[in-house]
Amino acid sequence: MLAVLVWGPAVQAQTFRLSCELQGTLPALEDRKLKPATVTVEMQSIGKNIFLKLVGPRYYEMKVSSLTTEAFAGTNLTSAGAIGARAKENATGRVTEIRIERDTILLSGYSDIDFRGKVLRMNLEGPCAMR
């Protein structure tokens, strides 16, 4: 006799999307500005973990989550005033952090990127709007 259990549809986290106009700067190069970019931010929350993905042009495209794994040490930075996460890549020490202020919907953060053969910290900031 074959018993079949029906659990219903698979549970998936809802993805919230924002459109942001970001400006990246490289403080190590006298605050050199990168070309401004429009990115889409995809946000998910599963349990106590948050997942943020920036979809856009080179240098602006990144992922960060609060999960801690063998490869990354994640931190949930979400508070009453902001949604955010920071992740440190264990093998290289590179860090990415993204925060979105709840009241102003202003995104800010940084990421250690490869820029012309060097690892530099890129700061990014800009306003966002619901899509």
Side-chain angles (χ1 to χ4, degrees):
M1 178 178 187
L2 180 63
V4 177
L5 296 174
V6 179
W7 294 97
V11 177
Q12 292 185 351
Q14 185 173 359
T15 301
F16 295 94
R17 288 180 178 80
L18 298 173
S19 179
C20 302
E21 299 294 326
L22 299 182
Q23 174 66 67
T25 58
L26 299 169
L29 299 177
E30 299 175 6
D31 285 329
R32 178 183 176 155
K33 291 182 188 250
L34 299 177
K35 184 177 179 180
T38 300
V39 303
T40 298
V41 180
E42 298 177 352
M43 299 181 288
Q44 290 183 326
S45 179
I46 302 173
K48 65 179 184 169
N49 291 303
I50 185 146
F51 302 83
L52 299 163
K53 180 178 178 182
L54 273 60
V55 180
R58 184 177 182 202
Y59 299 124
Y60 290 95
E61 195 154 287
M62 60 190 75
K63 294 180 193 178
V64 65
S65 80
S66 61
L67 279 179
T68 295
T69 66
E70 282 187 31
F72 292 93
T75 305
N76 190 334
L77 303 175
T78 302
S79 66
I83 297 167
R86 177 186 313 118
K88 179 179 179 183
E89 190 175 349
N90 294 332
T92 64
R94 292 181 185 197
V95 179
T96 299
E97 178 177 307
I98 300 169
R99 290 181 190 243
I100 302 167
E101 297 298 320
R102 292 180 192 265
D103 291 343
T104 59
I105 315 178
L106 181 71
L107 185 144
S108 62
Y110 57 86
S111 185
D112 296 334
I113 63 168
D114 289 315
F115 186 81
R116 297 186 180 164
K118 294 182 181 180
V119 176
L120 299 176
R121 179 150 294 174
M122 176 188 71
N123 293 334
L124 52 108
E125 184 174 83
C128 301
M130 294 295 287
R131 288 183 44 149

